[in-house]
Amino acid sequence: MAAKPIASPIPVLMYPTLSVFTLAIGLVITAIFFIYEATSSRKNCSLGKELATATGFGSLFLLLASGVYV
């Protein structure tokens, strides 16, 4: 049996579109996070919302940037 070459699950022609799309999503989420941090006072801060936004999306885009398809 011959080994099958490893192929990307995404066609190569879609790489530029997907990179711009994920970059735009990351910038929008970053802007939302910064606006939330700048406009929230100490009394109505939500640690859960901050951690969910920062950790969840940060790790997702870190994995995508390093080439791990999730």
Side-chain angles (χ1 to χ4, degrees):
M1 272 194 192
K4 291 175 66 176
I6 297 174
S8 173
I10 301 168
V12 176
L13 293 174
M14 290 191 65
Y15 282 0
T17 305
L18 289 175
S19 66
V20 169
F21 183 67
T22 56
L23 180 65
I25 290 173
L27 289 174
V28 167
I29 292 171
T30 302
I32 290 170
F33 181 71
F34 282 129
I35 290 170
Y36 172 76
E37 287 294 322
T39 59
S40 64
S41 65
R42 287 189 177 255
K43 292 181 181 179
N44 64 358
C45 285
S46 171
L47 181 63
K49 185 174 182 180
E50 292 178 17
L51 289 177
T53 305
T55 307
F57 290 111
S59 61
L60 171 68
F61 287 105
L62 175 66
L63 289 171
L64 288 174
S66 63
V68 178
Y69 298 109
V70 291

